[in-house]
Amino acid sequence: MCVDTKRVFISHSSVDHSLAHEVCAQIEVDTAPCWIAPRDVTPGRDYASDILHAIEAAGIFVVLLTKSSIESPQVVREVERAASNRVALLPVRLDDTPLTPSLEYFLSSSHWVSPTGDQSATAAQVRDAVRRCLGIDNAPSTTPPDVSPPLPIARLDHRLSRITRVAGRTKELASLCSLLPAVTSDHNSTHVGFVLIGGESGVGKSALVSATASAAFDQGWDIASVACEPFHEGMSFFPIRELMRQISGTGDVVAAVQALYGVGSSQAAYAIAAEDPSTPSEQRREALIATASNLVFGQRRASSSPALLLVLDDLERIDPGSVDALLCLLSRSNESPVLVVGLYRTDFVERVGRQHPIMPLIDAVRRMPDVAEEVRLGALMRGDLPQLVEMLAGGSCDFPSAFFDHLYEETEGNPLYVREVFRSLQQPPRGSDPVVAIVDDRWRIVDPSREWEIPQSIEEAVVARLEVLDAVQREQLETAAVIGRRFAFEVMAKLVEASESELVANLEKFINFDLLNELPGSEELFEFTHGKIRDVLYNAMSRLRRRRLHGRVADVLKDSRAAMSEDWDALLAEHLFRAGRMAEALPLLRTSAAGLLRLHAGHEAATQLRRVLEADSQADLLGATDRIAVQLELVTALKLANEYEAAASLVDFVVDSPHADRVSKGWALDHLGDIHWTRGQVQEAKEVYASARQLAEEANDAALLLEVFADLTELHDREAERVAGTNPQQSTEHRQLSERYLDEQLRLSEVVPDNQARARALRNEAKRRRRKRQIDAALALYEEAISLSDPRVATHQVLISYAKTLRYAGRHEDACRVVDRVLDWSQQTGARRSLAIALHYRGMLEMEAVPADLVGAARDLQDAVALHEDIGYLRGRCETATSLGELALALGDRQSMMRWFREACAGGDDLSDDAIVNAVVATLEASDETKRARSIRDRLKSA
């Protein structure tokens, strides 16, 4: 079948034929040919067959959704055929009629068009959406006002500075620059696309990368850079959002992704989900990660697009969400010509230890030497100092060897320390003579007989050099330090008492003093040449001065708040909190924390909620009820951040509080039950859930009781499967309890108005129906659960179980399509658990295909087990090990089969081979996999 990617198939109900033909006419004027029934049905041909062939040959499938079309079986069949043939779907919503579960499922990852106006205007808007899908510019007169134009690809130049060479780093610079041609020559081959550079403060990490960036820019690369800020503790994804803003150009991420991938693409659907606060929290977080990677790599896919260098500095201050985004970039690093370089302070990270958020990224880089590289910078050698000093001086030097010996002995070869000392020798405080100066066109020591001292630390060297500033200049620079590592001229101008010309003159002086850099671009941004200079300025101020300046910064930021992102609450709250203006900070901190919880950013949410409680303790701003509510939110945040000890302690505090009512105590205990279960403490979890249940029943709180019953249903269900092969009686008891709690969960889910809770109950009931071989009923329940979930996301939680049920129904191709959807989601988002589970299930489907694809199955299952091992998901590893044992048995390799089966029975080292096989078979039967269990028995008997 020849597919015409520019042909548009228009699906519609005959009731809507007038609008459908108007849409067809407008598209065919200047956009693309269309196929529409009955006009294009070939006379004498089978009507249905002609339609199906036309769908398979189309590039875009437009479906006009109205009450009549939604109720039309023919339209549903057309949509299903288009989805199964991977035709780009463009649904047009023309009224509010609810979709059927089938349509909801097939159209879930598509971007919707909801036109307004009369029939002609509607047709024009649909035509424009088709044009965007095809990458054709729309005329301004017909572009809907709420749809942004395609993204212009402009050259980026956000280098850290203009440094082109560095002293003592010849080998490192050559190594980094050698990566550039490898990235651009063939980005489909394996190459290093991610570099992590570590070293103590001041060893020259930024200078090395700046020189690399200059070389890359000279070779035609785009440069985007960002530095993590000390004032970003309460934000998640700040550096990633800033990079997305730079790359998108306009800051409209959704429009940028739509322009790159098409309005109806899964990438566009994820971008919309990432920007929508109503998206379920964990899925929104994953959608944001996917969108960042799609934006980074998507704009570089065209051969005419320049390569891109991403520089992230000060990663010692990075948040866990941004680390997850970088892990996704790392996993996709060979998709297009992009080089990611991250810099971090090893001394800072080592002081925090394994708990530092960057550690998973460091571990991943070390595990992936084919695509990632780790660089550790140490101090310079004594022989490197003459070159460094000459570069700092900007001219030839004539200093005796003793000068360099003394400089090296005191600074231990730290480049920043050397730089600050040499600057202080050039530009001493007012009233002092310089130690070095230009004499006869060469830098020399002015008075060789004069003794000169070197400050005892980098900090002291910076302080000494700052003394060259007058009081006004020092105050302006301190104000900049309070704003952050980078700051905008517009903000600075509103904060200082100086005319624009005076401020510009001083900023130029700071640049000449090597204290600031002016960043390229049109945004009038400045940056401290080193984070240590900003830190010294900030820490040298009195607490009173810092508080006052933070307050002034907050007042200025309030005026521009409307133009900023949702992180703005966090940044404004940070300055207000540091200003001691607790009454103003507290509501913003709570708003920020709520947003962070919606992103599953537990660490940052916990930071904000702790500040809420601190602000309350200082100003008594919360009532007793609100205080308990904040403490419960903090328990949730601590759970997300895996700070289980702190969360458990806070639960005890809430339970013992005289101000907590039964419902609050019940929710606290439910959280504690989750913590015990996560830790594998099943008996403790059951006891705590029982206490939570009692409190819920005493308070007659249906929502809390529903949550407890849902947790108990799943706990006993998992335990029934876990012990089926080793303790059948206990497994039966768990199964009976799970069934009882599920009945209660279903009953309450019809009363409590919570779609997510209802979907959870339906999924559990679908699993029970599947276990009883009521496959059609199970499929209907899964489809109902899917219809209650966000249609733009595709995690494994529901869809893999749905695919499993489709497989039981003999719908192998449909099951593969669902698994592919999960794979698409997990590969874009970097969701490794979803990816591992989807790979495992695709491997199983490949084993069961006719004919079986055992090579593909082996590859997918091996990848899945490695991922499970990497993320520490023991249950997933055991399940995949079972499948690998089945594969080995199918290949006649009994030795490998037993090795994998033993891994599947974790903790069964003392069991005989027969006992291991029996345990595996029993576990499969308890997991509804009786066909696989029977296959193992039959193969072993016939062997």
Side-chain angles (χ1 to χ4, degrees):
M1 174 66 64
C2 180
V3 177
D4 184 351
T5 58
K6 292 188 177 181
R7 181 174 292 278
V8 179
F9 183 99
I10 300 175
S11 176
H12 65 287
S13 164
S14 58
V15 176
D16 307 312
H17 71 279
S18 176
L19 173 60
H21 283 272
E22 174 88 14
V23 168
C24 177
Q26 292 221 29
I27 292 174
E28 290 187 327
V29 167
D30 59 358
T31 301
C34 295
W35 196 101
I36 186 170
R39 185 193 71 176
D40 296 312
V41 175
T42 305
R45 291 275 304 270
D46 177 68
Y47 191 94
S49 176
D50 225 21
I51 288 177
L52 295 180
H53 280 86
I55 293 172
E56 292 171 3
I60 298 176
F61 180 94
V62 173
V63 55
L64 304 181
L65 295 169
T66 61
K67 185 176 187 300
S68 55
S69 65
I70 289 170
E71 294 174 351
S72 166
Q74 178 63 33
V75 170
V76 174
R77 284 193 291 272
E78 291 173 2
V79 171
E80 182 175 5
R81 178 54 66 100
S84 64
N85 283 277
R86 300 184 180 277
V87 182
L89 300 174
L90 187 61
V92 181
R93 195 65 177 265
L94 297 170
D95 62 31
D96 296 330
T97 304
L99 298 185
T100 63
S102 295
L103 284 174
E104 184 79 46
Y105 174 74
F106 289 118
L107 301 176
S108 59
S109 63
S110 303
H111 178 64
W112 297 82
V113 178
S114 299
T116 58
D118 59 17
Q119 180 169 301
S120 179
T122 294
Q125 291 173 54
V126 175
R127 181 207 63 176
D128 289 348
V130 170
R131 291 173 67 84
R132 287 192 298 276
C133 285
L134 295 172
I136 303 172
D137 290 336
N138 288 318
S141 59
T142 58
T143 300
D146 61 335
V147 179
S148 300
L151 172 71
I153 298 181
R155 186 147 191 220
L156 302 173
D157 183 9
H158 288 266
R159 284 173 287 177
L160 298 172
S161 69
R162 301 289 180 175
I163 295 174
T164 57
R165 63 192 185 99
V166 288
R169 305 296 186 197
T170 305
K171 179 181 177 181
E172 292 88 346
L173 181 59
S175 177
L176 285 175
C177 289
S178 70
L179 300 178
L180 304 179
V183 170
T184 55
S185 61
D186 182 7
H187 62 261
N188 291 317
S189 64
T190 299
H191 63 265
V192 173
F194 198 106
V195 180
L196 203 54
I197 302 176
E200 293 188 357
S201 177
V203 295
K205 302 182 293 296
S206 296
L208 174 63
V209 175
S210 292
T212 306
S214 293
F217 191 78
D218 291 342
Q219 295 176 33
W221 284 53
D222 280 354
I223 316 293
S225 73
V226 67
C228 299
E229 291 273 11
F231 297 154
H232 295 158
E233 289 182 287
M235 298 186 192
S236 191
F237 296 104
F238 174 83
I240 301 303
R241 289 185 189 277
E242 170 59 18
L243 288 174
M244 291 166 68
R245 185 192 66 78
Q246 291 181 23
I247 294 168
S248 65
T250 63
D252 189 338
V253 172
V254 172
V257 174
Q258 288 175 338
L260 290 168
Y261 295 94
V263 174
S265 64
S266 62
Q267 291 88 346
Y270 299 164
I272 294 168
E275 297 296 307
D276 183 358
S278 68
T279 304
S281 55
E282 186 174 0
Q283 285 71 52
R284 187 182 181 210
R285 180 186 179 92
E286 292 178 348
L288 195 155
I289 291 170
T291 299
S293 293
N294 290 335
L295 194 57
V296 166
F297 294 119
Q299 203 172 37
R300 313 292 140 181
R301 292 181 303 166
S303 58
S304 58
S305 298
L308 175 64
L309 175 64
L310 295 183
V311 179
L312 296 98
D313 203 355
D314 298 329
L315 291 185
E316 68 275 2
R317 303 185 187 276
I318 196 169
D319 63 277
S322 294
V323 168
D324 289 342
L326 292 181
L327 286 168
C328 186
L329 286 173
L330 172 59
S331 69
R332 299 175 60 180
S333 57
N334 287 152
E335 285 191 16
S336 60
V338 175
L339 177 61
V340 182
V341 180
L343 302 83
Y344 72 99
R345 282 178 49 185
T346 52
D347 52 329
F348 188 100
V349 172
E350 288 166 1
R351 196 160 58 242
V352 176
R354 293 293 306 175
Q355 290 71 42
H356 195 285
I358 201 177
M359 289 309 303
L361 182 62
I362 295 174
D363 293 341
V365 166
R366 291 171 179 171
R367 285 195 306 269
M368 304 172 69
D370 291 343
V371 297
E373 185 174 300
E374 183 183 19
V375 178
R376 292 292 290 266
L377 291 186
L380 296 176
M381 304 295 289
R382 158 63 178 82
D384 297 323
L385 257 62
Q387 181 189 14
L388 174 60
V389 169
E390 192 163 280
M391 288 171 55
L392 294 171
S396 299
C397 299
D398 188 7
F399 297 125
S401 179
F403 173 88
F404 295 111
D405 290 340
H406 185 36
L407 193 60
Y408 185 75
E409 181 182 351
E410 296 296 333
T411 63
E412 297 181 343
N414 183 289
L416 176 63
Y417 200 174
V418 172
R419 188 189 82 168
E420 292 305 310
V421 168
F422 187 74
R423 295 292 191 218
S424 69
L425 298 178
Q426 284 180 293
Q427 303 162 345
R430 284 180 300 280
S432 301
D433 295 326
V435 175
V436 298
I438 295 178
V439 179
D440 297 331
D441 295 327
R442 296 177 71 85
W443 284 90
R444 307 175 193 270
I445 298 177
V446 176
D447 183 358
S449 64
R450 173 185 164 193
E451 292 187 4
W452 48 282
E453 295 183 357
I454 288 181
Q456 296 300 303
S457 65
I458 296 176
E459 289 80 5
E460 286 188 18
V462 173
V463 169
R465 193 156 73 85
L466 291 173
E467 291 178 6
V468 73
L469 305 175
D470 62 33
V472 171
Q473 293 166 348
R474 176 69 179 249
E475 181 178 347
Q476 291 176 354
L477 209 54
E478 288 173 344
T479 300
V482 171
I483 300 172
R485 173 80 182 269
R486 291 181 177 182
F487 60 92
F489 177 82
E490 178 185 5
V491 174
M492 185 74 167
K494 294 177 181 178
L495 288 166
V496 300
E497 296 177 359
S499 67
E500 182 174 301
S501 60
E502 290 171 335
L503 178 58
V504 169
N506 280 336
L507 288 170
E508 290 173 341
K509 186 174 291 186
F510 299 149
I511 293 171
N512 291 333
F513 285 172
D514 205 19
L515 297 169
L516 295 180
N517 288 323
E518 184 178 15
L519 296 179
S522 59
E523 298 171 296
E524 296 183 333
L525 294 176
F526 296 84
E527 178 183 63
F528 284 93
T529 54
H530 198 281
K532 179 66 74 175
I533 295 174
R534 193 216 68 88
D535 292 345
V536 168
L537 278 160
Y538 185 82
N539 293 326
M541 285 183 275
S542 67
R543 289 192 297 273
L544 174 62
R545 179 162 178 73
R546 283 201 297 263
R547 284 199 301 270
R548 294 303 178 103
L549 283 174
H550 276 297
R552 292 174 58 198
V553 171
D555 290 336
V556 169
L557 295 181
K558 283 180 182 179
D559 295 337
S560 52
R561 183 176 172 192
M564 302 299 288
S565 71
E566 63 189 80
D567 286 331
W568 204 234
D569 283 333
L571 184 59
L572 186 53
E574 176 80 21
H575 286 288
L576 289 169
F577 182 81
R578 290 177 181 257
R581 289 158 57 174
M582 300 305 184
E584 297 173 76
L586 189 143
L588 291 171
L589 289 168
R590 292 198 69 178
T591 302
S592 168
L596 291 163
L597 286 173
R598 286 195 295 269
L599 278 173
H600 266 215
H603 178 78
E604 296 75 26
T607 296
Q608 298 299 68
L609 291 165
R610 283 175 170 136
R611 287 176 172 175
V612 169
L613 295 173
E614 183 180 344
D616 175 59
S617 69
Q618 293 184 27
D620 194 20
L621 300 166
L622 294 171
T625 302
D626 279 350
R627 194 173 297 116
I628 292 294
V630 170
Q631 289 165 347
L632 286 174
E633 290 169 8
L634 180 54
V635 171
T636 301
L638 293 170
K639 280 170 52 185
L640 291 172
N642 299 325
E643 295 183 38
Y644 297 129
E645 292 294 339
S649 295
L650 188 52
V651 166
D652 291 340
F653 181 84
V654 171
V655 171
D656 293 338
S657 171
H659 302 295
D661 60 16
R662 286 188 178 91
V663 175
S664 298
K665 292 179 180 181
W667 280 109
L669 289 171
D670 186 77
H671 286 310
L672 185 58
D674 295 344
I675 292 170
H676 284 313
W677 188 13
T678 301
R679 289 172 158 181
Q681 300 164 339
V682 176
Q683 185 57 38
E684 292 87 341
K686 290 193 296 182
E687 292 171 359
V688 172
Y689 283 140
S691 298
R693 174 186 176 181
Q694 181 179 346
L695 288 167
E697 289 173 340
E698 290 173 358
N700 195 28
D701 190 283
L704 172 57
L705 198 56
L706 172 58
E707 181 70 16
V708 174
F709 281 137
D711 290 334
L712 285 167
T713 297
E714 292 166 9
L715 181 148
H716 286 288
D717 183 64
R718 301 292 186 275
E719 286 301 296
E721 294 176 358
R722 186 180 68 84
V723 302
T726 56
N727 193 330
Q729 180 179 349
Q730 194 178 73
S731 176
T732 300
E733 292 170 357
H734 280 300
R735 179 71 66 212
Q736 290 171 347
L737 287 169
S738 175
E739 299 259 354
R740 186 189 312 164
Y741 290 129
L742 176 54
D743 289 338
E744 294 296 325
Q745 183 189 2
L746 284 166
R747 177 181 63 81
L748 287 170
S749 71
E750 295 177 351
V751 177
V752 177
D754 184 332
N755 279 349
Q756 291 190 46
R758 176 65 179 166
R760 186 181 181 186
L762 290 170
R763 294 197 302 268
N764 288 335
E765 174 63 6
K767 185 175 182 181
R768 177 162 66 178
R769 296 294 185 94
R770 185 181 68 207
R771 191 183 301 117
K772 295 178 178 180
R773 291 296 182 265
Q774 298 172 3
I775 302 303
D776 289 342
L779 285 172
L781 287 164
Y782 275 123
E783 288 164 2
E784 186 179 351
I786 290 169
S787 72
L788 294 172
S789 306
D790 193 306
R792 298 165 300 196
V793 300
T795 58
H796 69 274
Q797 283 93 338
V798 187
L799 293 178
I800 291 298
S801 293
Y802 181 48
K804 185 175 183 178
T805 312
L806 288 168
R807 171 173 148 254
Y808 287 171
R811 294 166 58 180
H812 190 274
E813 290 185 4
D814 289 339
C816 289
R817 177 165 45 78
V818 174
V819 172
D820 285 343
R821 185 179 165 205
V822 179
L823 282 168
D824 179 66
W825 165 269
S826 54
Q827 286 166 343
Q828 287 188 50
T829 62
R832 293 186 293 169
R833 184 170 175 179
S834 282
L835 178 60
I837 291 171
L839 284 170
H840 174 202
Y841 214 77
R842 186 169 71 178
M844 289 172 53
L845 289 167
E846 287 163 338
M847 289 169 61
E848 296 174 356
V850 182
D853 180 6
L854 299 185
V855 174
R859 180 184 59 247
D860 284 339
L861 292 173
Q862 290 284 359
D863 288 346
V865 83
L867 273 169
H868 286 314
E869 178 73 22
D870 190 34
I871 64 179
Y873 183 34
L874 178 60
R875 182 183 173 200
R877 180 173 174 80
C878 291
E879 291 177 351
T880 308
T882 297
S883 295
L884 281 164
E886 294 173 79
L887 178 63
L889 177 59
L891 294 171
D893 185 350
R894 293 283 293 272
Q895 184 176 358
S896 294
M897 177 202 75
M898 286 309 308
R899 177 170 60 84
W900 284 116
F901 279 178
R902 282 194 176 277
E903 286 206 26
C905 297
D909 295 340
D910 297 333
L911 297 177
S912 66
D913 285 358
D914 287 344
I916 287 290
V917 172
N918 288 335
V920 167
V921 168
T923 300
L924 285 172
E925 289 174 337
S927 305
D928 314 328
E929 293 286 2
T930 54
K931 185 177 179 181
R932 289 169 61 195
R934 186 168 57 250
S935 174
I936 292 174
R937 285 200 180 99
D938 292 345
R939 286 179 184 274
L940 287 173
K941 284 180 181 178
S942 62

